[in-house]
Amino acid sequence: MSDIFNNELFEAFASASDNVYIYVCDMEIDVSRWSKASVEYFGLEGEYIKDAANVWAEHVHPEDLDVYMEDISSVFSGAKRYHDCQYRARNRLGEYVWVECKGSVIRDSDGNPKIFAGLMTRIDGQSKYDTLTGLLTTPELRHFDFSVLSGTALLIGLDGFRKVVGNYGYNTADEILIEFAQRIKELCEPEWKVFRFSGDEFMVVAFGADKAKMTAYYENLCRETETIELKNKQRINLSASAGGALFPQDASSREELINKLEHSLEHAKNNQRGTLVFFSEEIARKHERGLALREDLKQCIRQSYKGFELYFQPFVMSGTNTITGCECLLRWKGEKVRDSYPMEFIKVLEDYGDIREVGYWVMEQAIRQQVSWRDTYGELRVSFNVSYQQFLDETFESRLAACAEKYGVNPEYIIIELTESCQVDNPEELSATFDRLRARGFKIALDDFGTAYASLEMLKCLHVDYIKIEHSFVRELSEPGHDIDYVIIDNLLEMCKRLGYDSIVEGVENDKVAAIVGEMNATLLQGYYYSRPVCRTDFEKLLDADRGAA
Ligand code: C2E
Ligand code: CA
């Protein structure tokens, strides 16, 4: 019997309250222990249950099954940290009761799920109002029949709220949510209903209102909440995105309405942050494509990364133009989806948490490649991209070190490019990781420098080796009217030099730009002018030509 089942803590928690039920699952053997109270109340077969996820799914109300399954599978896949959802579950008398189910997965040092533990709280009769904001909770939506009512619903989400929590802490974040919820409610007409949908998302159901009315409502809300003042007089700037859908035209049931609102909000957040986007066929198509991509990507990952490949784009030395290394860029051709660009499929990998797994594959290929080129071409500087999400994985550092050791690479020649530095919400932790990696000899580059608004802020707290200057400043450098880009790059390079960082200028597309940046103080140059990203054999041809010419 697994140790996790035989402890007094389990017993203590199990008897803590009459309407709280706890469970713990040893995921290696897929056996769970459920508290006695839960066995009795829900009429389970016994305290120990094999394959509990499926056994429990039979207790979940058929209408809530999708919500439950989606949440639980995103926790198991690593896309979501905590299982947290409300649904109806059948008790031993055959009645459905509302429960709030929360839990989390503990992983082993290889990132594999080890233990899943959590608790379920019966919330019947208590859950009508959200305790923090006083708004209605989503189960209350069950009272509305959207096939006969008519109006418009909005799902409103605060932008970058994770960062607000990181910057100001939970108490301030709660105060902001309360303030924001109050404004949402104040601006509504009396017969409208407002729900706290999830942490930082709110749903307004506006009976009898059309698109124009809700657009005006949303604009008004944005104006009113652009800056809010906290009790301590601190002023905070907020931005909110929203998705909208009409009932019954777009959706005639609660589930359909929620789905369409979620897709529209997701679309707004990804493409037009800080705006209201109404549901459309295009959004439905994009969502469908996202699902197809996800399915295909999963399938390829399962088949030992079938269809994934690294392309290589040279770094040349400023001044001599000799190839000194390359950036590894991921490419993928699915079984069904054959035309997906990196920006698209990498976003899907990130959204569903699969980027970690694929990222380790990229890491291993890049390191293996660097070593295999050593005898023929000498030590090349090989970089690969790592998103912030990947750095958050506790095993990143040990896996990198193990991989470097396995192939015997010299870490001095491995550059890790941090993409999307704007999303960093815990710079101190990241800084400590960087320091440890640099102490092991690895090089760190801040990617896309200059575009993310937090670039300079990041530079203050992170110690890195390279700054990569974003290609949008560089590409049109030789065109008339781009003097400002020149001034920006020139000054960024000067700043790098004074701070002791090396620099990589990306986006050198033609000889004119190459001539301009060649005169500047950059360390390495990269861009279509030297070569597009190419497959391994083509990159080796570039190296052969380069070495032959030397
Ligand atoms: P990035 O890191 O900024 O990569 C540079 C992108 O600029 C590449 O696009 C490259 O093809 C493109 N590029 C290079 N030279 C030029 C140029 O002269 N002009 C223009 N217009 N573009 C140029 P790509 O390969 O489509 O990659 C897109 C993004 O996908 C990358 O942007 C990176 O953020 C991400 N990515 C690629 N591979 C990986 C990976 O293995 N892991 C992660 N996490 N992200 C990756
Ligand atoms: Ca990059």
Side-chain angles (χ1 to χ4, degrees), residues 27-85:
M27 295 181 75
E28 278 160 24
I29 51 170
D30 196 13
V31 171
S32 319
R33 180 176 176 192
W34 294 63
S35 59
K36 282 197 186 72
S38 55
V39 175
E40 274 166 28
Y41 185 75
F42 293 107
L44 301 175
E45 61 199 40
E47 265 184 80
Y48 292 93
I49 301 179
K50 180 98 184 124
D51 187 20
N54 284 320
V55 173
W56 182 247
E58 301 220 3
H59 282 259
V60 177
H61 193 290
E63 272 180 35
D64 301 336
L65 199 56
D66 281 352
V67 178
Y68 165 75
M69 290 308 277
E70 200 176 310
D71 195 83
I72 203 108
S73 40
S74 56
V75 174
F76 286 176
S77 73
K80 232 183 119 185
R81 258 199 189 168
Y82 304 108
H83 171 47
D84 185 357
C85 72

Side-chain angles (χ1 to χ4, degrees), residues 30 36 74 83 87 93 102 129-130 182 185 188 194 207 213 255 302 320 394 431 434 481 498 503 512 528 547 550:
D30 196 13
K36 282 197 186 72
S74 56
H83 171 47
Y87 53 82
L93 303 172
K102 296 189 176 209
Y129 298 103
D130 171 54
Q182 209 164 343
K185 184 99 178 118
C188 283
V194 186
F207 303 106
K213 186 159 202 162
E255 288 68 30
R302 272 197 296 269
T320 64
E394 285 156 14
S431 166
F434 277 11
R498 288 177 64 177
S503 52
K512 290 199 191 99
Y528 293 170
R547 300 303 189 252

Side-chain angles (χ1 to χ4, degrees), residues 204-215:
V204 176
V205 179
F207 303 106
D210 60 10
K211 271 189 182 176
K213 186 159 202 162
M214 294 319 284
T215 306

Side-chain angles (χ1 to χ4, degrees), residues 1-11 24 33 48:
M1 186 61 67
S2 177
D3 279 345
I4 56 165
F5 298 142
N6 296 324
N7 65 52
E8 288 165 357
L9 264 181
F10 185 94
E11 301 287 351
V24 53
R33 180 176 176 192
Y48 292 93

Side-chain angles (χ1 to χ4, degrees), residues 327 329 385 417 419 447-448 468 506:
E327 174 172 2
L329 291 155
N385 293 281
E417 299 192 12
T419 64
D447 209 354
D448 306 330
K468 287 196 81 170
E506 295 185 273

